[in-house]
Amino acid sequence: MERTNGKRIAIVTGSALGLGYELTRQLIDRGWFVAGIDFNAERQTELAGEFPRGSYRGFVGDVSDEDFVKASVAEIAKIRHIDLLINNAGQPSFKTPTAYEAADVDKCLKGLKGMILWCVQTLKACDEQNLKIANVMSTAATRGNANESVYCATKWGEKGYTQSLKAAYKGSSVTVVGVYPGGIDTDFYRESHDYVSLDKQHTFMPAADLAGVMLDNLLSEARLTVSDILIERLYR
């Protein structure tokens, strides 16, 4: 059993690298215990050594694998009540409309399926009470972008799911926040040079800055409701 010393607990999917890593690191710096979810076993081992004892536990698996999700949430819920779920995991596929193949569709759909599974199981574990859910999507969920047709389709699906959750839990102690960042300067985009040029990449947001802005809003103690966070990249 983990010893968290009463720390609030967050689940962050895609915690190994990029924005997920920064969200994890900054939550820990703010005194949270983070259950990090990622398929990268090597990075999970590194993170376990990087973060202070009693601040992080890594779970290795596919976010869209229902058995893995159920088992992981059950283990995390044994520690204490889960306060925050950040659905951050996902994969890009930026291609011209006729270049998409079934494998690209499956890759993009993992993010949507994973978002749904983690929400369902975490809500159950919390008895649908006192939980904040932040679904990280993309500005691609707010407009149709050329050469991102399948990626946009799945992001719009994630937005629809998020809006539906908001309606279902309106007025309850469950808060659902949609997060829509523009381009982020991470490997997520650097590995897509068929679409994202290096010049454009340099205008993208540093993951550390983006994570800080997100957490400032998500963790605010003000008597206000943050329902959506739209953060655009710096155009220059």
Side-chain angles (χ1 to χ4, degrees):
M1 183 70 69
E2 303 286 346
R3 304 187 71 160
T4 65
N5 296 320
K7 295 176 181 177
R8 290 177 292 178
I9 293 183
I11 298 174
V12 178
T13 68
S15 63
L17 298 166
L19 178 60
Y21 167 76
E22 284 298 333
L23 289 166
T24 297
R25 182 183 66 80
Q26 293 184 35
L27 278 166
I28 290 172
D29 286 348
R30 295 176 188 228
W32 283 66
F33 176 91
V34 176
I37 317 300
D38 208 281
F39 61 79
N40 189 330
E42 182 178 354
R43 265 300 277 167
Q44 289 288 41
T45 300
E46 293 173 358
L47 295 180
E50 173 182 341
F51 296 128
R53 185 178 179 84
S55 294
Y56 183 81
R57 180 175 173 185
F59 293 80
V60 179
D62 183 339
V63 295
S64 64
D65 180 334
E66 185 174 30
D67 290 339
F68 168 67
V69 177
K70 286 182 176 180
S72 299
V73 172
E75 280 297 308
I76 298 164
K78 289 178 183 177
I79 302 171
R80 64 182 296 274
H81 179 84
I82 300 164
D83 302 284
L84 174 65
L85 166 64
I86 302 181
N87 280 303
N88 166 74
Q91 292 181 292
S93 186
F94 304 142
K95 295 185 176 183
T96 60
T98 56
Y100 278 108
E101 298 177 349
D104 302 305
V105 179
D106 291 340
K107 181 168 71 170
C108 287
L109 283 173
K110 276 182 176 285
L112 173 58
K113 184 178 179 181
M115 177 184 290
I116 294 170
L117 292 176
W118 284 95
C119 285
V120 169
Q121 295 305 320
T122 306
L123 282 163
K124 287 181 178 179
C126 294
D127 295 323
E128 299 177 85
Q129 297 180 42
N130 301 314
L131 172 66
K132 179 169 286 187
I133 297 171
N135 288 338
V136 183
M137 292 166 271
S138 165
T139 51
T142 65
R143 57 179 178 256
N145 295 332
N147 301 330
E148 296 183 13
S149 56
V150 170
Y151 181 69
C152 285
T154 55
K155 294 303 171 185
W156 282 43
E158 291 174 13
K159 180 179 181 180
Y161 179 68
T162 300
Q163 293 298 106
S164 179
L165 282 185
K166 287 183 186 180
Y169 290 100
K170 183 177 181 180
S172 75
S173 59
V174 173
T175 304
V176 181
V177 181
V179 184
Y180 304 93
I184 311 169
D185 190 13
T186 67
D187 290 339
F188 182 96
Y189 289 98
R190 277 192 290 270
E191 292 171 356
S192 303
H193 285 166
D194 57 324
Y195 170 60
V196 180
S197 68
L198 288 175
D199 286 342
K200 185 177 181 181
Q201 181 76 42
H202 295 322
T203 72
F204 283 5
M205 296 178 286
D209 293 349
L210 175 58
V213 171
M214 287 173 55
L215 293 177
D216 284 345
N217 284 275
L218 290 173
L219 307 183
S220 173
E221 298 295 334
R223 295 182 60 193
L224 303 169
T225 299
V226 176
S227 61
D228 286 300
I229 303 174
L230 173 63
I231 309 173
E232 297 277 11
R233 67 186 177 90
L234 177 63
Y235 293 92
R236 62 173 186 253

